[in-house]
Amino acid sequence: MIQGLVGVVLVGLGVYLTVAPATTAELLGRSPVTSSDWINLRATFGGTLLGLGAFVAWLPGRRPWQRFVLGLLGWAMAGIGAARLVGFAIDRGPDPRQYVWLVAEVVIAAACFVLVRRRARAAT
């Protein structure tokens, strides 16, 4: 119960930092200039917190360690990718490198989720 509550609170904070990156910029003393700067703020801080919160809420246990590691990586990449997509929609005009990051995040998240699923099926 506490784990789920902590996860939900972290997801909420991640969502807030994703939709309000000016808060992060102010706290860090940064002055984003380009749309890609804003997208990176959303993804790096809001997205990471969003993914970690989802991981904490999802985590069924620390064992086996492979599931733990794959889940952490998968949820982190999913959160970062989701925040990056929000940045694409709100900030517009991402540079080409943003697309490379997004593809990498989607591929890594998908691979982690497939591997977690395979391991779960093999265990039953």
Side-chain angles (χ1 to χ4, degrees):
M1 170 113 169
I2 292 174
Q3 176 184 338
L5 182 61
V6 169
V8 168
V9 168
L10 289 174
V11 167
L13 289 171
V15 168
Y16 173 74
L17 293 178
T18 297
V19 298
T23 302
T24 304
E26 188 176 313
L27 287 170
L28 297 174
R30 290 190 180 175
S31 300
V33 178
T34 67
S35 62
S36 289
D37 292 343
W38 286 104
I39 291 168
N40 281 334
L41 265 181
R42 291 177 195 278
T44 303
F45 296 95
T48 301
L49 201 53
L50 175 64
L52 290 177
F55 169 71
V56 169
W58 164 83
L59 184 64
R62 286 183 263 180
R63 293 187 188 258
W65 69 269
Q66 295 95 341
R67 180 182 59 200
F68 181 89
V69 171
L70 290 169
L72 177 59
L73 181 59
W75 282 110
M77 291 295 107
I80 293 168
R84 193 173 308 280
L85 283 174
V86 169
F88 282 18
I90 294 173
D91 301 317
R92 311 270 179 180
D95 63 32
R97 187 175 50 215
Q98 294 294 327
Y99 291 102
V100 172
W101 288 120
L102 181 62
V103 168
E105 291 152 2
V106 168
V107 168
I108 292 169
C112 287
F113 293 134
V114 166
L115 289 171
V116 165
R117 188 118 169 134
R118 278 189 189 165
R119 290 185 181 278
R121 284 185 184 158
T124 58

